[in-house]
Amino acid sequence: EAQVTQNPRYLITVTGKKLTVTCSQNMNHEYMSWYRQDPGLGLRQIYYSMNVEVTDKGDVPEGYKVSRKEKRNFPLILESPSPNQTSLYFCASSLGQGSGTGELFFGEGSRLTVL
Amino acid sequence: GENVEQHPSTLSVQEGDSAVIKCTYSDSASNYFPWYKQELGKGPQLIIDIRSNVGEKKDQRIAVTLNKTAKHFSLHITETQPEDSAVYFCATSGNTPLVFGKGTRLSVIA
């Protein structure tokens, strides 16, 4: 089954404790992206990757890091989480980026609470 | 960069009635306009999309219309059913990553 898998789905942590949210897709997609969803703000892009070893900042990259060492994986790293990073996070992937490159597939989401 | 405005933010309709959600965008280079549906506890899922060379597209009870001159596009859902209750997002892109609207929470009242 074609899917984007995120882990963990739920996490409560404390300020400053490094954490990683993993994301894996099994569709051989080149493009992967991370979003955060907050009430009233919709989906805001954090980082995206056009291909292996190619990453770019989205609209809200501060406080986050990513890496793309393999095509299927795109982990999101919070080096020193703060309470304003409490949010619902989505990983997504597609064949490419831009208008001609097909549907964006989303994971089920990771709800992160930073105390 | 691109700015996408989506209205309304919440919408309640009686079962069987129609629902319309509207989006406006700013970048004249945008040429792809998808709509995503997010059910409770799940990630968004593509329900319909339209490209700039088409003015309207239908898929059963849902349709999308595009007015490139005015830079707006709309989602139309006819004969709404309780399972249509969800959050709907519009989005646009040209050669840049998708930019999403803030979402519309649709409630279909039985």
Side-chain angles (χ1 to χ4, degrees):
Chain A
E1 180 190 355
Q3 59 186 4
V4 178
T5 304
Q6 300 178 223
N7 280 294
R9 294 288 314 280
Y10 302 91
L11 179 62
I12 300 174
T13 190
V14 295
T15 299
K17 186 176 182 180
K18 180 180 178 180
L19 69 91
T20 299
V21 186
T22 63
C23 175
S24 181
Q25 50 92 6
N26 62 0
M27 295 168 279
N28 201 36
H29 284 167
E30 291 192 348
Y31 179 81
M32 297 186 74
S33 182
W34 277 101
Y35 297 86
R36 61 178 288 174
Q37 184 176 12
D38 301 289
L41 298 178
L43 291 161
R44 294 182 293 167
Q45 190 176 47
I46 303 170
Y47 270 94
Y48 64 97
S49 170
M50 301 283 282
N51 212 328
V52 176
E53 301 293 1
V54 180
T55 62
D56 280 295
K57 295 178 179 179
D59 298 318
V60 288
E62 295 78 19
Y64 305 95
K65 286 175 60 177
V66 292
S67 69
R68 187 88 182 276
K69 292 184 172 55
E70 306 166 280
K71 198 172 187 179
R72 63 181 294 131
N73 296 322
F74 190 44
L76 179 70
I77 303 155
L78 286 73
E79 293 272 5
S80 183
S82 62
N84 64 11
Q85 293 178 297
T86 293
S87 188
L88 179 58
Y89 291 87
F90 287 100
C91 181
S93 73
S94 65
L95 282 171
Q97 173 240 259
S99 62
T101 52
E103 178 179 353
L104 193 59
F105 290 83
F106 284 84
E108 297 271 277
S110 296
R111 185 166 293 283
L112 171 64
T113 301
V114 184
L115 302 175
Chain B
E2 174 69 279
N3 182 44
V4 180
E5 298 282 339
Q6 183 172 346
H7 298 281
S9 56
T10 59
L11 179 60
S12 292
V13 299
Q14 292 289 330
E15 183 178 358
D17 287 350
S18 295
V20 181
I21 303 169
K22 299 181 180 179
C23 287
T24 60
Y25 61 98
S26 59
D27 188 353
S28 56
S30 292
N31 57 13
Y32 176 60
F33 308 90
W35 286 88
Y36 284 79
K37 176 183 181 183
Q38 184 181 24
E39 297 178 343
L40 195 62
K42 296 190 175 182
Q45 190 167 16
L46 179 71
I47 55 171
I48 193 167
D49 58 11
I50 193 169
R51 301 186 188 277
S52 59
N53 58 345
V54 176
E56 183 176 0
K57 184 177 179 180
K58 287 184 180 179
D59 183 2
Q60 299 183 346
R61 295 187 297 108
I62 61 173
V64 56
T65 59
L66 171 65
N67 183 327
K68 281 218 78 178
T69 303
K71 295 195 184 73
H72 67 73
F73 57 113
S74 300
L75 177 71
H76 304 254
I77 306 174
T78 59
E79 300 174 27
T80 53
Q81 300 169 4
E83 53 264 38
D84 294 329
S85 295
V87 177
Y88 292 82
F89 292 97
C90 64
T92 72
S93 78
N95 291 318
T96 54
L98 277 175
V99 176
F100 287 87
K102 289 183 167 53
T104 296
R105 182 174 298 279
L106 173 64
S107 299
V108 179
I109 303 163

